[in-house]
Amino acid sequence: MSTKSLFKQACVAALLALFLLGCRERSADTRRPAFPVADKTTLLATIREDEKPSARQQGPAYHAQGQAEMNIVFGESGGGVAYTVEKGGLTHVVHNGVAGKPYKTVGYVVLSPDGKHVAYRALENGLWRMVVDGAEGPAFNAAQLVAFSPDGRHVAYQAMKGERWYLVVDTTLNAGTRTRFQQHLFSGDSSKIAYTDDSDENNDGRLVVSDIGFRGPKVVEAKGVTQIVANEDKTRVAAIVRKEGKQRVIVFPFADPGSRKEGRLYDAIANLGFGPDGVSVTYMAERDGKRFIIFNDREEPLADGSLAGPLVVRPDQKGVGAILASGNKYCLQQFFVGGGESEKGYEEAAFLAYSRDGSRHAYAARSGQQWFIVADGKEGPPFDRVVTPQFSPDGKYLVYRARRAGKRFVVVADTSGKILREHPAYEQVFDVKFTADGKSVAYGVNDGENLIWKVEKL
């Protein structure tokens, strides 16, 4: 298999994952939040009648479930919500009930981790500005990929002015480059930023680590960087580097980019990621036409199928799991534990998750028109759709989102998949979090006109 084929496979896996998510059914965000998850049910905003999409006002012909879904974003810790409103040919953002200035176009709406701050790009008079809490930033020809720092105090994005691209943190621009940037990542303490710039036609670029004022930037790799990822707490960075027709992975601490570890050379590498311990690294690699799953420099052959989702490191560090697509079947395969044997195949499968001790696993699967959770090989009850299974912190419960007859709700099951309770149904249900004590689930819901942060006992 060629380098292009492996890259194409990775892209297909990513696109498939996006397709499986569906509208408002995004993959679970397993990162520990920078701010405590709000542990009380709170009404965050009420959508006014004149803010609702026209399709919602006109009825079922405009949407399969009888309403149009707004572009709604909840803060990951439950402290805020934002949504966009189109009215009279203009668009504005409403954050925690406060409407912002209308613009011709608005995009990339994001909230700070605590939900208290909002940022988005806005088009006015042919130029783009990043708007943060209502304050307009400098004007650019283009602006994209906005992200808050973990502490919520800074915003980074990429922007083009004239023929030059820049990385911007708040209102400070770096030196810029004539070609575009690829990625940027804040460090966990919000004091540094890693980015790839000067990308060529193969999407290879230069990897740089700098403080957020762009003082004393350190070049980690001068060229050939195709991807960068950070671990869960954003203290370490891994990158795929291409050199003389080969690729390798490098790993280094955010605080000391010069202290790097280099992996073996391969013909191609894809699907790079960290394990939950923040140190373990896994990826897929190709050498001499053969594919391998790599886990902390150990290799295990990948004989059949293609990855249909991310590689997931078991929390007990005993191995790596993945959903594989082979022919018209999807199945779980675990590497480095028992010789990589597969479970039963399904027409679709996604959202692999492990319990914190690594002893149990679960994922969503489809047979015919019905979706269900598969927990340690046992199938749960059927629904129209199920997504994002998660084990509770104590490992006693399995929680996921489900849809039945157009209604969405959270399901709590035991670890075998047997349903213990279904929480109330709403028009939309957003990513589920666990409260700090691990005894309740918390999530955003769209309940008619009300946008609520719901907290329910397990």
Side-chain angles (χ1 to χ4, degrees):
M1 182 180 288
S2 67
T3 299
K4 288 184 177 180
S5 296
L6 189 59
F7 177 75
K8 181 179 179 181
Q9 185 184 107
C11 291
V12 169
L15 289 171
L16 178 62
L18 288 174
F19 172 77
L20 288 173
L21 297 180
C23 189
R24 291 299 115 201
E25 292 179 339
R26 300 175 298 165
S27 178
D29 182 359
T30 58
R31 293 184 295 110
R32 290 186 296 270
F35 296 87
V37 173
D39 58 4
K40 294 182 180 179
T41 294
T42 305
L43 174 63
L44 296 174
T46 299
I47 303 169
R48 297 194 327 233
E49 189 66 27
D50 62 352
E51 292 177 335
K52 297 176 184 178
S54 57
R56 178 186 296 228
Q57 295 173 341
Q58 295 179 37
Y62 290 82
H63 191 276
Q65 276 76 48
Q67 75 277 341
E69 294 181 342
M70 303 182 73
N71 179 21
I72 299 170
V73 181
F74 277 88
E76 64 181 43
S77 298
V81 67
Y83 58 93
T84 56
V85 176
E86 296 182 19
K87 191 175 180 181
L90 298 174
T91 302
H92 67 270
V93 173
V94 180
H95 175 227
N96 288 349
V98 179
K101 174 182 172 180
Y103 295 94
K104 182 175 179 60
T105 303
V106 165
Y108 293 116
V109 179
V110 298
L111 293 180
S112 59
D114 62 358
K116 304 301 183 184
H117 307 283
V118 64
Y120 51 91
R121 66 172 190 168
L123 179 65
E124 187 175 53
N125 299 323
L127 295 173
W128 291 94
R129 297 178 186 271
M130 196 60 61
V131 180
V132 182
D133 293 337
E136 297 177 342
F140 295 101
N141 300 105
Q144 61 185 28
L145 301 180
V146 59
F148 274 96
S149 60
D151 64 6
R153 298 174 61 186
H154 305 283
V155 171
Y157 60 98
Q158 300 172 14
M160 185 180 70
K161 192 169 188 177
E163 297 183 355
R164 201 165 182 83
W165 280 94
Y166 299 91
L167 183 63
V168 186
V169 176
D170 301 328
T171 58
T172 302
L173 283 65
N174 76 337
T177 176
R178 288 199 298 174
T179 58
R180 64 190 179 91
F181 288 72
Q182 286 288 346
Q183 297 172 263
H184 56 269
L185 304 167
F186 277 106
S187 62
D189 63 4
S190 303
S191 68
K192 295 181 175 63
I193 192 165
Y195 56 93
T196 53
D197 65 5
D198 203 21
S199 298
D200 62 18
E201 64 278 3
N202 296 317
N203 292 323
D204 295 351
R206 182 182 70 156
L207 173 55
V208 180
V209 174
S210 170
D211 68 14
I212 59 174
F214 302 115
R215 295 175 291 268
K218 179 176 178 58
V219 178
V220 182
E221 281 287 342
K223 61 180 180 179
V225 177
T226 64
Q227 181 188 9
I228 59 173
V229 298
N231 63 357
E232 184 178 343
D233 60 10
K234 293 180 169 47
T235 57
R236 298 176 69 81
V237 177
I240 300 174
V241 181
R242 193 194 316 272
K243 189 173 183 179
E244 297 178 354
K246 301 287 186 178
Q247 292 186 338
R248 67 163 26 112
V249 169
I250 64 169
V251 184
F252 58 89
F254 236 125
D256 184 13
S259 177
R260 58 189 270 174
K261 177 184 176 182
E262 296 185 348
R264 297 189 188 103
L265 286 170
Y266 292 94
D267 297 330
I269 293 173
N271 298 86
L272 175 64
F274 278 97
D277 66 345
V279 177
S280 300
V281 174
T282 186
Y283 51 93
M284 181 173 63
E286 180 191 346
R287 183 179 60 236
D288 299 328
K290 297 179 180 179
R291 296 176 302 157
F292 302 89
I293 299 301
I294 313 301
F295 176 46
N296 292 341
D297 295 326
R298 297 159 59 196
E299 295 181 351
E300 186 161 307
L302 174 59
D304 301 313
S306 58
L307 294 180
L311 294 167
V312 183
V313 176
R314 289 173 46 143
D316 59 8
Q317 299 300 303
K318 291 183 178 179
V320 176
I323 302 295
L324 299 184
S326 181
N328 59 356
K329 291 292 184 181
Y330 291 71
C331 63
L332 168 67
Q333 184 165 339
Q334 299 194 77
F335 300 88
F336 307 100
V337 283
E341 295 181 358
S342 301
E343 289 192 356
K344 175 183 174 180
Y346 296 96
E347 293 177 52
E348 287 186 73
F351 308 111
L352 173 62
Y354 286 96
S355 61
R356 285 193 175 182
D357 64 2
S359 64
R360 296 181 178 277
H361 64 265
Y363 54 91
R366 179 180 67 83
S367 288
Q369 299 300 312
Q370 295 181 326
W371 282 85
F372 43 84
I373 290 297
V374 180
D376 292 335
K378 298 179 181 179
E379 298 176 3
F383 294 93
D384 296 339
R385 190 74 165 93
V386 295
V387 295
T388 60
Q390 300 179 68
F391 288 90
S392 61
D394 62 8
K396 294 180 179 179
Y397 303 99
L398 183 60
V399 176
Y400 56 93
R401 289 178 288 157
R403 187 181 73 220
R404 182 196 295 122
K407 292 294 185 179
R408 298 169 170 91
F409 47 92
V410 171
V411 176
V412 179
D414 64 18
T415 53
S416 70
K418 179 182 177 181
I419 292 179
L420 301 177
R421 66 185 58 86
E422 294 180 3
H423 286 290
Y426 301 98
E427 292 178 26
Q428 293 175 272
V429 174
F430 294 76
D431 295 341
V432 178
K433 310 289 181 181
F434 292 98
T435 55
D437 62 7
K439 296 180 179 180
S440 299
V441 287
Y443 50 94
V445 303
N446 178 6
D447 182 18
E449 291 75 29
N450 297 322
L451 300 177
I452 306 170
W453 183 253
K454 295 289 294 186
V455 180
E456 304 274 4
K457 292 291 184 182
L458 280 168

